[in-house]
Amino acid sequence: MINPSSSQPHVIGTPETSSPRPHQPGELHLSLARASLRQALARHSPFGNPQQTANTELQAELQTQLDVLNSTLEKLDRNVIRIAAFGLVSRGKSAVLNAILGQKILQTGPLNGVTKWPRSVPWTTSQTLIGKDEIQVELIDTPGLDEVGGDARGEMAKQVTRQADLILFVVAGDITKTEYEALQELQKSQKPLILVFNKIDLYPEVDRQAIYQNLQALRNEEKDNIKRENINYKSLEIVMTAAEPTAIQVRVELPDGSITYEWESPPPQVDELRQKIITIINQEGQSILALNALTQAREAEANIAHKTIKLRQAEAENLIWQFAKYKALAVGLNPVAFLDIMGASMADLVLIRSLSKLYGLPMTGYEAGKLWKTIMFSASGLLLGEFGSSLMLGLGKSAAGMIADFSTFAGVTVTQASLAAYGTYAVGRASQVYLEKGCTWGPLGQDKIIQDIINQVERNSIIYRLQYNLRS
């Protein structure tokens, strides 16, 4: 976890240098994200959801996810962007962050594993942030990924990655297998990522360029992988740094003419990295902050829905079969074809509403209708076949009843009732799948807002390059 003793982050930009411009896309994205999180909190409030608080195990899961939503909303309200540095031991993560800060705050040293736990420090710079809301920035230092024990390492990395809005992955040469695997795992987090090639002062120019070309090849490999998904962008930003250059010996001529030699530390070479980070924050910081909050809220709502559906599986199955049984009975005994279709549709809508009420996942009649249409479209081959068969069989049943052919009437009735029951069961199971998404659809649903943000950003932005991961 982040060190609670860390001071509050400071603002990038000052009142004298900032020139806010209203109605920027990032500001709108932040507002939509806040509204979405507040809606999610209201939706799962224990006071308005007795179904969810009746089960102790479900209540515990609900409280955990509500804490996530609350902390995410608080981070949004404070406009805090967190930048986390990851890498193996001795790659210079702490030195890179110190160089960005312009002062040595984080401990560094010649021994491996100086950083023992994640630590957060504020970053202040005088460079301007465009926008109405002032953005605060925290830099998070982490232990080496190969230093912390297996499970603990994974949990630590997961917690920090979840909090981070931008990730720095620090290497000090050609990427090892362990680094490649860690990099792949971090890319699954749906966060912007900068690959930092540190300690370039240790390499002759020829070797340095060769390593840089290898890293470029890695980026192109990732780009080719993404092209297979019909997305055309590079997935990695690569920057070279020398955060803590090795001291060099210099010749010093004293006033008396004598010569001596001293060791002198060259200044850090991080200007390109610092400027890239500031550019990303200025141009996309608010949108990145909004997207990170939305993805966390989407995950929290999905966790609530998954747990709810799992714990109420038996009740839901019984409810679905009850509806299937009564619908089969009603359709089978009704002699009018048109009423068969209308009654079957109404029964399915009531089933969807009943399932949402059982799970404690609120759904209006309008939303239920949209979901029903979606299910019908997705399973058109089966469910529309049911309606077509119901119509044809209903007409046949009506005709058989009119001519008093009771054997034909009975056969058609059984067939139609079976189709109706199967259709209701299919709708019920499909509804469970959609409900498990955690109500992320709708005007303020996380999935819809994420899609809207992606559609609005520039094609050369770092967010646009992440669109495939964000959509999935």
Side-chain angles (χ1 to χ4, degrees):
M1 297 293 291
I2 291 178
N3 184 359
S5 63
S6 300
S7 57
Q8 293 296 315
H10 294 277
V11 174
I12 283 195
T14 63
E16 293 78 18
T17 60
S18 297
S19 53
R21 295 187 303 181
H23 310 303
Q24 293 300 298
E27 296 168 14
L28 174 61
H29 299 161
L30 277 178
S31 297
L32 289 172
R34 291 188 185 109
S36 181
L37 263 69
R38 291 190 180 105
Q39 175 180 269
L41 284 166
R43 175 185 293 128
H44 300 294
S45 169
F47 301 104
N49 235 323
Q51 288 282 356
Q52 288 181 322
T53 55
N55 183 289
T56 305
E57 185 179 353
L58 180 57
Q59 186 176 6
E61 177 67 22
L62 178 63
Q63 188 57 55
T64 299
Q65 301 307 327
L66 286 176
D67 290 342
V68 170
L69 289 170
N70 274 310
S71 62
T72 304
L73 180 59
E74 179 186 0
K75 180 172 175 285
L76 266 186
D77 288 338
R78 291 172 54 209
N79 298 306
V80 178
I81 286 184
R82 293 189 173 121
I83 303 172
F86 288 96
L88 305 191
V89 294
S90 300
R91 269 38 174 192
K93 299 181 297 296
S94 302
V96 167
L97 296 183
N98 281 337
I100 292 172
L101 291 165
Q103 52 185 321
K104 191 169 183 178
I105 296 178
L106 300 166
Q107 185 180 2
T108 62
L111 300 178
N112 290 346
V114 173
T115 303
K116 298 298 183 183
W117 57 83
R119 183 185 174 190
S120 173
V121 293
W123 178 29
T124 306
T125 176
S126 61
Q127 291 182 266
T128 307
L129 173 71
I130 301 298
K132 183 178 70 174
D133 297 322
E134 294 177 326
I135 293 288
Q136 304 178 81
V137 181
E138 291 177 354
L139 303 180
I140 305 175
D141 194 16
T142 65
L145 290 173
D146 53 341
E147 178 189 13
V148 186
D151 292 341
R153 175 183 64 199
E155 186 57 33
M156 178 274 295
K158 188 183 298 182
Q159 289 183 11
V160 175
T161 303
R162 186 180 294 115
Q163 297 177 52
D165 302 287
L166 174 65
I167 294 174
L168 308 179
F169 190 79
V170 183
V171 299
D174 281 323
I175 283 189
T176 66
K177 180 181 178 181
T178 302
E179 286 174 322
Y180 183 74
E181 291 172 351
L183 184 60
Q184 285 186 313
E185 196 63 31
L186 286 171
Q187 285 183 296
K188 295 177 183 177
S189 67
Q190 306 171 343
K191 308 294 176 67
L193 192 148
I194 299 176
L195 183 61
V196 181
F197 172 21
N198 190 35
K199 301 190 178 184
I200 59 173
D201 58 301
L202 300 181
Y203 299 93
E205 180 64 24
V206 174
D207 294 344
R208 180 192 310 173
Q209 290 302 321
I211 294 172
Y212 183 75
Q213 291 302 319
N214 289 340
L215 297 177
Q216 290 279 359
L218 172 69
R219 180 184 69 179
N220 293 334
E221 175 188 335
E222 295 294 329
K223 180 179 177 181
D224 291 339
N225 289 339
I226 291 168
K227 274 186 176 180
R228 298 189 191 111
E229 303 292 343
N230 297 320
I231 307 295
N232 183 15
Y233 64 83
K234 59 183 181 181
S235 60
L236 292 174
E237 295 277 353
I238 303 174
V239 180
M240 294 195 290
T241 64
E244 202 171 49
T246 303
I248 58 175
Q249 193 176 44
V250 295
R251 180 176 180 273
V252 179
E253 184 174 346
L254 300 177
D256 61 3
S258 61
I259 302 296
T260 186
Y261 292 89
E262 297 180 357
W263 290 94
E264 184 176 291
S265 296
Q269 301 175 38
V270 294
D271 288 346
E272 183 184 353
L273 175 60
R274 184 188 293 115
Q275 189 56 52
K276 184 173 289 291
I277 293 172
I278 290 173
T279 299
I280 290 173
I281 292 175
N282 283 349
Q283 294 180 355
E284 306 179 60
Q286 292 169 314
S287 298
I288 289 172
L289 186 57
L291 284 170
N292 189 29
L294 289 165
T295 53
Q296 289 187 64
R298 178 171 64 182
E299 181 182 354
E301 289 216 81
N303 288 339
I304 292 172
H306 178 74
K307 192 72 171 182
T308 302
I309 288 173
K310 180 181 178 181
L311 291 174
R312 300 202 181 280
Q313 185 64 33
E315 297 172 71
E317 286 286 338
N318 182 61
L319 181 64
I320 291 171
W321 280 116
Q322 289 291 331
F323 266 84
K325 180 175 65 176
Y326 291 132
K327 178 179 171 183
L329 186 63
V331 169
L333 295 179
N334 177 52
V336 182
F338 176 75
L339 293 180
D340 282 348
I341 300 296
M342 292 298 296
S345 303
M346 291 301 299
D348 290 341
L349 289 172
V350 174
L351 171 59
I352 293 173
R353 291 289 300 276
S354 299
L355 282 171
S356 70
K357 184 176 180 181
L358 172 67
Y359 293 139
L361 301 172
M363 178 179 288
T364 65
Y366 174 68
E367 290 170 330
K370 288 202 300 181
L371 176 55
W372 181 80
K373 290 177 183 177
T374 302
I375 293 170
M376 293 298 298
F377 179 78
S378 300
S380 56
L382 293 174
L383 296 180
L384 291 180
E386 179 213 336
F387 278 112
S389 300
S390 294
L391 180 59
M392 296 302 295
L393 291 170
L395 292 172
K397 183 174 61 176
S398 300
M402 291 172 61
I403 63 175
D405 186 349
F406 293 106
S407 60
T408 302
F409 182 87
V412 172
T413 296
V414 171
T415 303
Q416 191 179 24
S418 300
L419 285 170
Y422 172 75
T424 293
Y425 180 76
V427 167
R429 294 309 299 266
S431 298
Q432 288 179 296
V433 173
Y434 281 95
L435 286 167
E436 192 171 346
K437 290 188 175 181
C439 299
T440 58
W441 57 87
L444 288 176
Q446 293 92 41
D447 282 318
K448 183 178 185 305
I449 299 177
I450 288 173
Q451 183 66 54
D452 289 345
I453 292 175
I454 293 172
N455 291 339
Q456 293 170 12
V457 298
E458 299 291 333
R459 292 182 64 88
N460 62 347
S461 66
I462 201 166
I463 291 176
Y464 185 82
R465 301 170 197 171
L466 289 169
Q467 61 173 301
Y468 174 73
N469 289 334
L470 288 167
R471 281 180 173 139
S472 62

